[in-house]
Structure formats: structure tokens, C-alpha cells
Amino acid sequence: MTEKKAQSSREKLGKLRVAMTAAGVDGYIVPHTDEFQCEYTPESANRLEWLTGFTGSAGDAVILKNKAIAFTDSRYKDQIGRQIDPACFETVIIDKNVHMHTVIVENAAVGARIGFDPMLVTPDAMKGLLQACRAKRIKLVPVPENLIDSLWDGRPAAPASQVFLFPDSIAGRRAEDNRKMVSGEIRKKGAKAVIINKPDSVAWLLNIRGDDVKHTPLALSYVIAHENGKVDWFIEPSRVPGGICAHLGSEVTVRAPQELEKAVTKLGQDAAREEKPVLLDSDRASVWFKYILEGQHAEVMESEDPIVCPRARKSEQEMAGIIEGHIRDGVALAKFTRWLDETAPKGMLTEMSVADRLESFRREDPALKDLSFPTISGWNDNGAVIHYNVKDNPEKNKKIEGQGILLVDSGGQYLDVDKKVAATTDVTITRAVGQPRPDQVRAATFVLQGFIRLATARFSQGTRGRDLYYLATEAMEKNGLICPHGIGHGVGCFLGVHEDASGLTPNEKRSKMPLMPGMLVSNEPGVYFSESWGCRLERLQRVVKDGFAEDGKTEMYRFEVVTLTPFDKKLIDPNLFREDELQWLNNYHKNVYRTLAPRLD
């Protein structure tokens, strides 16, 4: 039997346009995301990659009758240019002035019908699209069956991993208590139920995990949580072992995914009859739910996923497991940095071999279940590409030789049930090979100075991440250096490496949640010199209580760094530090040594 020839982008576009005509639409939106709005998607949901060849983690495409446009952000500008066929796709880089919906309006005809899969778009995204398209009377048309799925020969099967328990002893909360908390929030708002779309929220609610997605231990599934505390969990029953059903109890009903539409329809009917709204997170749920509920004349109340904030605040048990997980990660990093410092000057390493070796050190600990994201290993100019992934760009795999700067951003997912360890790690180290130039030392020192000023912040209850952002950027900006990204994001407990919390960014949306004890956030200032080198210094830190303000009433908080790995002293000029900054750095290094030394030879 001869192997079937792979279709070209031109052939795929031709078939998609035929399908568009049959569906009665003039254009079609192909997002990167999946039905669960996940950051990392299963292979069966990589529709954008199938159509365009682009493998980045952020992007969309809009296919019109006479034009195809692929979108991504500045992180993937070079990558998308290499991976897509420029004869088939025009590339647009999204920024604060250029959005997908503005490009649709510019290119689509007056009165055009643009199709989309309502499972892949949130109500918030639809709101922006509708507003932009109104001027040209462009109509957005939900297409029930995804057009890509009908064309994708050999599409991988949907994930079907066995669900496993995340023990109460590590979570610090019983699933029953989580359900009571959610039902309390539903009743407080006078609602009938809440639909939970995000698998990481489902995982937290039910104290379960899965292996459906690379790098994030999720079981892709939906939940309808009711005002009476009962939960309908939509996942293939064969994936849920009997022991888990017994553990969750009779208040949790496992239902096949095929029942979801019928269940949402009935929920809408019941809610309309009782004149109670259904809660839906307009930024995290699929607009598909909204359409069905409103089709039954039910009120849909926009309400943040009730699990987002409590999930961000780790329990004492979770934090104990996180701290131990970071010690284990620190052991692997210590072995790696010693190996790197001894081996790199010989000129025999590559970016890819460095990433592989770091993973092998982590895998010496049997608690490592996966990396928390694909390792970024960038030598010199590749280190200036913020989300560079050498595995996706093997043709750019640089040899590490001579003098230069290596940036390595990596992390692991750890779970050791017997020792009550569960952690998601995320750390960026920047190491000099050979003697760094004075300008490199100076720039890296200002980045570290920003890191220290944020790490040592003391702040009052109610402070948001955006209120502290300037602490990490002031030293850099005063010396003409600009950090082009947010300084910090939330991190889960054996969950997503990027989790909702109070982001350390000026972005209002990402930093609206106040910083609270138990939160785990990254601290990662960086500077990047295009086509030359980059420096990012990332460690994770937790929010802890630190007494009261002078009024005796307002709680004060501070950060405590939990990542344990030294900064490269070759990239530090101590003369640029204040005395308190130098003291913090010395104390941090002493703590790293005291903690890790007993576990190393």
C-alpha cells in the first residue's frame, strides 16, 4: 500500500472554501484554542496547525474567499514566517493597535457572513467581534460542526486518559468542601447553577487530575454545579475508575459528553421557569453555552468562574508540597548548572542538547511526571526571542561555542503522593559562557536589581499586581532598558504553569485580583537585545502575611522566594547594588546552599 501524500496548504484551503460555501458563509475563523480554552491543546484540537503548519501557542486564522490571514503575537513573528506558506497566507502580528476583528473588517466585504465554531470562542471575544463588524454589517454565523474536523484526514483521536485522584491530604480540602463553597456562591447570587468550562477548575473542584494534555495534568471535561451542591460531571464514564466515583460520592454524577447539550438545554428550561440566572464566565467559557441557555429564554449572568480565586490561594498542605517540589527541582538545577559551567566552554553543546540534559537531571527524581512547558534554550541571539522553542525550530539549533549568554526557561510537574509532594515549577536562568562583556554584566545586574526590589516588596491588603509592577522595571528603565512583557503570572499546584492570579503586569484584566496569602506568582524581569542576546531572571515566590500596618487593622504582606537556584555571579556587578539589595542576594544564596547541600555530594 502506498503512503498517502500529505496535503499542501493550498489544497487544504481549497477544500475548506468548498466547505464554507456549503455552510453558507463567506469566511471562517480558525482559532488556536480548543473547546476548553486550554493553553496547551491536545493533538486532536490542533486545527490551526493542521491548516497552516504554524505550531506556536498563540494564534488564529481567518479564511476568506480570496484571502487567508494568519495571526500571532510578536513572540512568534519569526516562527510563523518560517512555518506558513507565504503564497497561501498573509501574516499579521497582533498588538495593542491591531486585532483580528479589525483585520476582518478591513478585508471582508460589506454584509459578509463569517462562520465560527461557537465551542472555540468566548462570549467576551464575541462581544469585541460583533462590535467591530457592525459598521460593515458583517454577520457572524455559528457553524454547528467544525469545518476543519470534517476535512482532517487522520485526525488524532480525542484524549482518553484515566482520571486519577489528587489526594485530599495534599489538596488540603475535600472535594465535598469545594462543592459546598461553589454552591454557596451560586445561592449568594440567586442563581440556578454555574457552568464550569475550564478543566483546571474542574480538577480543583473534584480533586482529580488526568493526562489528556502535554505539560498540564488535566482531564478535559465540563461541570454543571447546581445550587443544591450537586454536580454533573461530563466525561466518558469509562475514564473514571470506580474508586474515584466512590470517593466523590452520590452528589457527583458522571455523565457522558454526548449528554451535555441535552443537559444544558434542560438547565436553561428549568432556570427560565424558576426565573433564576445561570452563571457563566464570559472570558473563560464557550459562547456555545450562552446560545443554548438563551435559546431556552434563560438569563445568563456574567460571573467569574467561582474557582479562580480559591484555586489561586494555595492551602497550607499544597504550599508544603510546593516548597518540597521546588527543593527537588533545585537539586536538578544545581546538577545542571555545574554540568553546564564545566561542559559549555568546550564548545560541544547545542541548544537542544542543553534542553535534553536539563530534562534528564529532572527525571532522576521519579516524582517528575512531565515538563511544565517545552524548555526554552536560547544561545545569544536566540535568547532574545522571548518564547523561543528549539524543538519547534530544529533548523535554528545553535552550537554553544565561544563567549556568549545562554538563557534557559524551564519547569517540571512533580507528584509524589507518599511524600505529599505536588508542584509545578517555572524558572529562568541566564548563564554566561566565557567572560561576559561589561555591557552584558551591567544590563543583567539591572535586571537582577529589579527582581530583588520586587522580591523584597512589603505591601498592604488589597494591593494588586499592577501596583507593584514598577518595582521590577524602575532600575531597568532608569538605565534605558525596557522589559517588553509582564513581570509575573500565577502558577498552579500540579496544574497549569500559567494560572489566574494577580498578574504582575500593568494589564488591568490580568491583574484585577488582589494579591493574597497563599498565591504563588512568578517574578521574571528581562531585557532583550534583538539579534544579539537576552537576559531573563525568573523565580517563583509566594505571598505571605507580614504583620499589620500602623493602624493595627490593615494586614501587610510580602513575598517569599521558593525557587532555589543561584544567580550567575559573572553577570553581577555588586557596585551597582544598594546595601540592602546586596544583603538580600547574599542571604538568598546562603539559603539555597543550606537547603540543597544536604541532598548533593
Side-chain angles (χ1 to χ4, degrees):
M1 181 183 292
T2 58
E3 186 175 338
K4 193 171 183 179
K5 181 183 176 184
Q7 297 179 74
S8 67
S9 292
R10 188 177 299 279
E11 290 170 322
K12 292 175 183 177
L13 284 172
K15 291 182 179 180
L16 178 55
R17 287 181 171 123
V18 170
M20 286 162 44
T21 300
V25 296
D26 306 301
Y28 194 65
I29 298 172
V30 184
H32 168 270
T33 192
D34 67 356
E35 294 84 345
F36 303 92
Q37 308 301 318
C38 291
E39 177 180 15
Y40 294 109
T41 54
E43 291 184 5
S44 59
N46 291 339
R47 300 174 178 95
L48 183 69
E49 179 181 341
W50 176 84
L51 180 66
T52 67
F54 174 58
T55 61
S57 66
D60 301 280
V62 174
I63 313 306
L64 303 172
K65 287 183 175 180
N66 58 356
K67 182 181 286 190
I69 307 162
F71 304 84
T72 190
D73 59 41
S74 58
R75 296 172 299 170
Y76 298 106
K77 183 177 180 180
D78 292 340
Q79 182 176 331
I80 197 170
R82 288 193 306 272
Q83 291 184 325
I84 69 169
D85 183 350
C88 295
F89 294 94
E90 178 183 319
T91 302
V92 173
I93 302 302
I94 299 293
D95 60 27
K96 62 183 178 181
N97 299 313
V98 180
H99 302 278
M100 181 178 72
H101 49 259
T102 58
V103 176
I104 291 176
V105 172
E106 289 171 4
N107 289 277
V110 173
R113 291 166 57 82
I114 306 297
F116 66 97
D117 183 342
M119 291 296 288
L120 306 183
V121 182
T122 65
D124 270 3
M126 280 306 301
K127 197 179 297 182
L129 281 165
L130 287 166
Q131 186 174 356
C133 291
R134 195 171 293 129
K136 287 182 71 173
R137 303 192 304 279
I138 295 171
K139 187 174 183 181
L140 296 165
V141 182
V143 179
E145 300 297 328
N146 190 288
L147 298 184
I148 296 292
D149 295 354
S150 63
L151 303 174
W152 189 348
D153 289 334
R155 181 185 174 207
S161 68
Q162 286 287 291
V163 175
F164 57 93
L165 280 176
F166 187 69
D168 295 351
S169 58
I170 300 178
R173 304 166 307 273
R174 298 179 305 162
E176 179 184 356
D177 298 328
N178 295 341
R179 287 190 288 103
K180 287 180 179 177
M181 181 275 294
V182 171
S183 64
E185 290 297 312
I186 297 169
R187 292 194 300 273
K188 191 185 300 182
K189 295 184 178 181
K192 177 71 176 171
V194 61
I195 295 174
I196 297 174
N197 193 104
K198 295 282 284 184
D200 46 357
S201 290
V202 174
W204 187 92
L205 174 69
L206 302 177
N207 281 354
I208 56 96
R209 299 292 190 268
D211 293 316
D212 285 356
V213 182
K214 284 183 179 179
H215 311 308
T216 311
L218 299 176
L220 300 181
S221 53
Y222 301 103
V223 150
I224 298 177
H226 301 275
E227 59 182 326
N228 61 4
K230 293 187 176 182
V231 162
D232 290 318
W233 181 20
F234 294 89
I235 187 169
E236 191 60 48
S238 62
R239 299 179 55 196
V240 185
I244 290 183
C245 292
H247 181 81
L248 292 175
S250 60
E251 300 292 280
V252 177
T253 303
V254 176
R255 303 181 63 177
Q258 295 85 348
E259 297 180 42
L260 181 63
E261 184 171 356
K262 181 180 177 181
V264 176
T265 300
K266 186 177 186 306
L267 173 62
Q269 293 168 348
D270 293 344
R273 185 179 63 256
E274 297 176 29
E275 297 184 344
K276 291 181 177 180
V278 176
L279 305 181
L280 192 69
D281 191 322
S282 61
D283 187 42
R284 297 179 178 90
S286 299
V287 75
W288 180 85
F289 293 104
K290 187 173 189 287
Y291 290 163
I292 293 178
L293 292 167
E294 290 181 340
Q296 303 304 316
H297 308 291
E299 178 191 352
V300 177
M301 180 186 290
E302 293 187 4
S303 179
E304 184 176 72
D305 179 337
I307 288 167
V308 167
C309 187
R311 186 179 71 230
R313 300 188 68 180
K314 310 302 184 276
S315 67
E316 290 183 11
Q317 293 85 346
E318 281 179 311
M319 192 56 72
I322 287 168
I323 289 171
E324 170 61 23
H326 278 82
I327 294 173
R328 296 184 182 204
D329 206 52
V331 169
L333 289 165
K335 294 177 180 179
F336 169 73
T337 49
R338 174 180 173 170
W339 168 84
L340 181 69
D341 291 347
E342 291 178 346
T343 311
K346 300 175 184 177
M348 300 175 64
L349 301 179
T350 66
E351 293 170 333
M352 199 172 293
S353 68
V354 164
D356 290 341
R357 192 73 176 99
L358 175 53
E359 181 176 349
S360 72
F361 280 121
R362 281 195 167 104
R363 291 200 179 278
E364 289 179 6
D365 190 324
L368 185 83
K369 303 305 178 186
D370 195 359
L371 301 182
S372 55
F373 59 95
T375 299
I376 295 168
S377 174
W379 171 246
N380 285 342
D381 57 329
N382 284 341
V385 180
I386 296 173
H387 273 206
Y388 172 70
N389 181 352
V390 66
K391 297 294 176 74
D392 277 347
N393 302 273
E395 75 285 354
K396 295 196 73 176
N397 182 27
K398 280 184 174 291
K399 190 174 182 181
I400 297 170
E401 54 186 350
Q403 184 276 332
I405 304 294
L406 178 67
L407 184 152
V408 181
D409 188 351
S410 67
Q413 296 281 10
Y414 293 87
L415 181 64
D416 183 339
V417 173
D418 292 339
K419 299 292 180 62
K420 299 181 181 179
V421 177
T424 302
T425 69
D426 184 5
V427 53
T428 308
I429 61 173
T430 302
R431 307 289 293 184
V433 178
Q435 188 58 42
R437 303 191 308 264
D439 65 296
Q440 293 173 325
V441 175
R442 184 176 175 82
T445 300
F446 291 134
V447 174
L448 179 54
Q449 193 171 48
F451 176 96
I452 294 172
R453 290 182 182 181
L454 179 59
T456 56
R458 188 170 189 249
F459 49 95
S460 61
Q461 181 180 0
T463 299
R464 288 164 169 76
R466 63 175 179 263
D467 302 323
L468 303 180
Y469 172 80
Y470 76 95
L471 291 173
T473 60
E474 182 187 28
M476 291 184 286
E477 291 182 358
K478 189 179 291 185
N479 291 278
L481 302 172
I482 302 297
C483 179
H485 53 68
I487 299 298
H489 56 81
V491 178
C493 177
F494 195 59
L495 271 176
V497 72
H498 296 134
E499 183 175 85
D500 296 298
S502 186
L504 297 160
T505 166
N507 185 299
E508 294 276 341
K509 184 176 178 180
R510 295 179 181 175
S511 61
K512 66 180 180 180
M513 191 189 303
L515 288 159
M516 292 176 277
M519 283 188 175
L520 183 68
V521 297
S522 67
N523 178 351
E524 51 181 306
V527 293
Y528 310 90
F529 302 89
S530 182
E531 299 184 4
S532 182
W533 68 288
C535 172
R536 182 163 65 253
L537 302 175
E538 179 184 18
R539 309 291 187 269
L540 301 189
Q541 53 194 27
R542 64 173 178 150
V543 181
V544 298
K545 292 182 180 181
D546 194 32
F548 290 87
E550 290 297 323
D551 63 10
K553 299 177 182 178
T554 305
E555 285 190 345
M556 299 297 293
Y557 305 141
R558 62 180 173 83
F559 293 118
E560 185 178 279
V561 177
V562 299
T563 304
L564 297 168
T565 190
F567 298 95
D568 186 352
K569 289 198 280 187
K570 287 198 289 185
L571 287 170
I572 299 173
D573 181 352
N575 297 312
L576 297 175
F577 283 135
R578 300 186 313 226
E579 184 60 34
D580 61 314
E581 293 167 346
L582 193 60
Q583 187 61 51
W584 181 92
L585 180 63
N586 288 333
N587 288 341
Y588 172 72
H589 281 162
K590 287 176 183 176
N591 182 53
V592 171
Y593 179 80
R594 281 196 303 265
T595 306
L596 298 184
R599 304 195 189 197
L600 293 161
D601 60 30

